[in-house]
Amino acid sequence: MPQVTPAAEIHMAIRRLAMSWSAIDRDRRISAALLGGVALLLFELRFEHREVLGETWRSWIPLIYSAVTLLAGLVALLRWDAGGRRFLALLFGAGIAVGLLGFWFHTDGHLLAGVRGVLGAWRVPLGQDGGIKMGSQPPALAPLAFCGLGTLGLLICRPGARGSAAE
Protein backbone atom coordinates (compact mmCIF):
# COMPACT_ATOMS: atom_id res chain seq x y z
CA MET A 1 0.00 0.00 0.00
CA PRO A 2 1.52 3.34 -1.05
CA GLN A 3 2.38 5.86 1.64
CA VAL A 4 0.35 9.11 1.52
CA THR A 5 2.27 12.27 2.40
CA PRO A 6 0.82 14.74 4.91
CA ALA A 7 0.56 17.35 2.15
CA ALA A 8 -1.49 14.93 0.02
CA GLU A 9 -3.74 14.17 3.00
CA ILE A 10 -4.36 17.87 3.57
CA HIS A 11 -5.08 18.37 -0.13
CA MET A 12 -7.58 15.48 -0.12
CA ALA A 13 -9.28 16.79 3.03
CA ILE A 14 -9.65 20.25 1.48
CA ARG A 15 -11.13 18.72 -1.69
CA ARG A 16 -13.63 16.69 0.37
CA LEU A 17 -14.63 19.81 2.31
CA ALA A 18 -15.01 21.83 -0.90
CA MET A 19 -17.13 19.09 -2.49
CA SER A 20 -19.42 18.86 0.54
CA TRP A 21 -19.69 22.67 0.72
CA SER A 22 -20.63 22.92 -2.96
CA ALA A 23 -23.31 20.25 -2.46
CA ILE A 24 -25.12 22.61 -0.07
CA ASP A 25 -27.65 24.84 -1.78
CA ARG A 26 -26.88 28.51 -2.36
CA ASP A 27 -29.39 29.86 0.16
CA ARG A 28 -27.99 27.75 2.97
CA ARG A 29 -24.42 28.85 2.13
CA ILE A 30 -25.46 32.50 2.14
CA SER A 31 -27.27 32.01 5.46
CA ALA A 32 -24.13 30.42 6.91
CA ALA A 33 -22.08 33.40 5.70
CA LEU A 34 -24.56 35.79 7.33
CA LEU A 35 -24.23 33.85 10.59
CA GLY A 36 -20.48 34.35 10.21
CA GLY A 37 -21.20 38.09 10.10
CA VAL A 38 -23.22 37.75 13.29
CA ALA A 39 -20.26 35.98 14.90
CA LEU A 40 -17.93 38.83 13.92
CA LEU A 41 -20.40 41.34 15.35
CA LEU A 42 -20.56 39.35 18.57
CA PHE A 43 -16.79 39.54 19.06
CA GLU A 44 -16.59 43.19 18.03
CA LEU A 45 -19.48 44.14 20.31
CA ARG A 46 -17.94 42.37 23.27
CA PHE A 47 -14.89 44.57 22.76
CA GLU A 48 -16.73 47.81 22.00
CA HIS A 49 -19.22 47.43 24.85
CA ARG A 50 -16.62 46.32 27.43
CA GLU A 51 -17.04 49.43 29.60
CA VAL A 52 -20.79 49.96 29.33
CA LEU A 53 -21.68 46.31 30.04
CA GLY A 54 -21.36 47.08 33.73
CA GLU A 55 -23.25 50.35 33.47
CA THR A 56 -26.50 49.57 31.65
CA TRP A 57 -28.64 46.59 30.75
CA ARG A 58 -29.20 47.95 27.23
CA SER A 59 -25.64 47.19 26.18
CA TRP A 60 -26.34 43.46 26.68
CA ILE A 61 -29.14 43.36 24.07
CA PRO A 62 -26.93 43.01 20.96
CA LEU A 63 -24.60 40.57 22.70
CA ILE A 64 -27.40 38.28 23.80
CA TYR A 65 -29.12 38.53 20.43
CA SER A 66 -25.88 37.71 18.60
CA ALA A 67 -25.05 34.74 20.82
CA VAL A 68 -28.57 33.29 20.61
CA THR A 69 -28.73 33.85 16.84
CA LEU A 70 -25.36 32.24 16.31
CA LEU A 71 -26.11 29.14 18.36
CA ALA A 72 -29.74 28.70 17.31
CA GLY A 73 -28.85 29.63 13.75
CA LEU A 74 -26.28 26.85 13.49
CA VAL A 75 -28.90 24.35 14.65
CA ALA A 76 -31.41 25.83 12.20
CA LEU A 77 -28.91 25.37 9.35
CA LEU A 78 -28.70 21.67 10.21
CA ARG A 79 -32.51 21.43 10.21
CA TRP A 80 -32.96 23.65 7.15
CA ASP A 81 -35.76 21.66 5.52
CA ALA A 82 -37.50 20.84 8.81
CA GLY A 83 -38.41 24.43 9.72
CA GLY A 84 -34.86 25.71 10.17
CA ARG A 85 -35.17 28.08 7.24
CA ARG A 86 -38.30 29.71 8.71
CA PHE A 87 -36.70 29.87 12.16
CA LEU A 88 -33.65 31.60 10.69
CA ALA A 89 -36.00 34.11 9.05
CA LEU A 90 -37.41 34.88 12.51
CA LEU A 91 -33.92 35.27 13.96
CA PHE A 92 -32.84 37.59 11.15
CA GLY A 93 -36.08 39.56 11.47
CA ALA A 94 -35.35 40.06 15.16
CA GLY A 95 -31.95 41.43 14.11
CA ILE A 96 -33.69 44.30 12.33
CA ALA A 97 -35.52 45.15 15.56
CA VAL A 98 -32.26 44.93 17.55
CA GLY A 99 -30.56 47.26 15.05
CA LEU A 100 -33.33 49.85 15.17
CA LEU A 101 -33.43 49.69 18.96
CA GLY A 102 -29.66 50.15 19.11
CA PHE A 103 -29.90 53.12 16.74
CA TRP A 104 -32.45 54.64 19.14
CA PHE A 105 -30.24 54.01 22.17
CA HIS A 106 -27.04 55.21 20.46
CA THR A 107 -28.70 58.53 19.57
CA ASP A 108 -30.65 58.88 22.84
CA GLY A 109 -33.81 58.99 20.75
CA HIS A 110 -32.57 61.86 18.59
CA LEU A 111 -32.29 59.92 15.35
CA LEU A 112 -31.98 62.87 12.98
CA ALA A 113 -29.39 64.59 15.17
CA GLY A 114 -27.38 61.34 15.18
CA VAL A 115 -27.48 61.12 11.39
CA ARG A 116 -26.61 64.83 11.08
CA GLY A 117 -23.61 64.28 13.35
CA VAL A 118 -22.34 61.41 11.20
CA LEU A 119 -22.88 63.33 7.96
CA GLY A 120 -21.23 66.40 9.49
CA ALA A 121 -17.93 64.50 9.53
CA TRP A 122 -17.67 65.16 5.78
CA ARG A 123 -17.23 68.89 6.55
CA VAL A 124 -14.40 68.34 9.03
CA PRO A 125 -10.91 68.78 7.55
CA LEU A 126 -8.86 65.60 7.38
CA GLY A 127 -6.82 64.91 10.52
CA GLN A 128 -9.09 66.97 12.81
CA ASP A 129 -11.74 65.78 15.25
CA GLY A 130 -14.34 68.46 14.57
CA GLY A 131 -14.70 69.11 18.27
CA ILE A 132 -15.85 65.57 19.06
CA LYS A 133 -13.59 63.57 21.34
CA MET A 134 -13.18 59.92 20.24
CA GLY A 135 -15.24 57.61 22.42
CA SER A 136 -17.30 60.42 23.90
CA GLN A 137 -20.48 59.09 22.31
CA PRO A 138 -21.55 55.79 20.81
CA PRO A 139 -21.41 55.49 17.02
CA ALA A 140 -24.91 56.44 15.89
CA LEU A 141 -25.17 54.23 12.81
CA ALA A 142 -23.21 51.19 14.02
CA PRO A 143 -26.29 49.27 15.28
CA LEU A 144 -27.77 49.43 11.80
CA ALA A 145 -25.31 46.67 10.84
CA PHE A 146 -27.88 44.34 12.43
CA CYS A 147 -30.51 45.75 10.10
CA GLY A 148 -28.30 44.98 7.11
CA LEU A 149 -27.61 41.40 8.17
CA GLY A 150 -31.24 40.92 9.14
CA THR A 151 -32.55 42.22 5.83
CA LEU A 152 -30.21 40.00 3.83
CA GLY A 153 -31.16 37.03 6.00
CA LEU A 154 -34.86 37.68 5.48
CA LEU A 155 -34.38 37.89 1.72
CA ILE A 156 -32.71 34.47 1.73
CA CYS A 157 -34.78 32.67 4.38
CA ARG A 158 -38.29 34.01 3.85
CA PRO A 159 -40.93 31.50 2.80
CA GLY A 160 -41.18 31.42 -0.97
CA ALA A 161 -37.52 32.40 -1.50
CA ARG A 162 -35.79 30.63 -4.39
CA GLY A 163 -35.12 27.04 -3.49
CA SER A 164 -37.51 26.98 -0.54
CA ALA A 165 -40.02 24.21 0.04
CA ALA A 166 -42.85 26.69 -0.44
CA GLU A 167 -42.21 26.88 -4.21
Side-chain angles (χ1 to χ4, degrees), residues 27 30-31 34-35 80 85 88-93 96 146-159 161:
D27 290 354
I30 292 171
S31 296
L34 291 172
L35 287 175
W80 184 260
R85 183 184 193 123
L88 265 174
L90 289 172
L91 290 172
F92 285 128
I96 295 172
F146 284 105
C147 293
L149 284 173
T151 300
L152 291 172
L154 279 178
L155 288 172
I156 290 297
C157 296
R158 77 188 189 290

Side-chain angles (χ1 to χ4, degrees), residues 14-37:
I14 291 172
R15 285 193 66 178
R16 280 193 304 274
L17 182 62
M19 286 172 44
S20 65
W21 179 252
S22 64
I24 298 172
D25 65 84
R26 177 195 67 121
D27 290 354
R28 202 177 320 192
R29 285 193 308 250
I30 292 171
S31 296
L34 291 172
L35 287 175

Side-chain angles (χ1 to χ4, degrees), residues 15-123:
R15 285 193 66 178
R16 280 193 304 274
L17 182 62
M19 286 172 44
S20 65
W21 179 252
S22 64
I24 298 172
D25 65 84
R26 177 195 67 121
D27 290 354
R28 202 177 320 192
R29 285 193 308 250
I30 292 171
S31 296
L34 291 172
L35 287 175
V38 170
L40 291 174
L41 273 176
L42 174 64
F43 292 118
E44 178 65 17
L45 280 164
R46 176 57 184 95
F47 175 76
E48 293 297 337
H49 282 197
R50 64 192 178 277
E51 290 179 36
V52 295
L53 285 173
E55 297 171 7
T56 177
W57 61 271
R58 300 180 302 187
S59 60
W60 285 94
I61 294 171
L63 281 168
I64 292 169
Y65 165 78
S66 297
V68 167
T69 298
L70 187 58
L71 295 174
L74 291 173
V75 173
L77 278 177
L78 296 173
R79 307 208 22 95
W80 184 260
D81 294 320
R85 183 184 193 123
R86 286 180 189 263
F87 187 68
L88 265 174
L90 289 172
L91 290 172
F92 285 128
I96 295 172
V98 168
L100 292 173
L101 190 60
F103 181 41
W104 179 267
F105 288 145
H106 275 220
T107 61
D108 287 326
H110 304 289
L111 306 178
L112 292 178
V115 171
R116 266 196 307 269
V118 170
L119 294 177
W122 290 96
R123 293 189 313 241

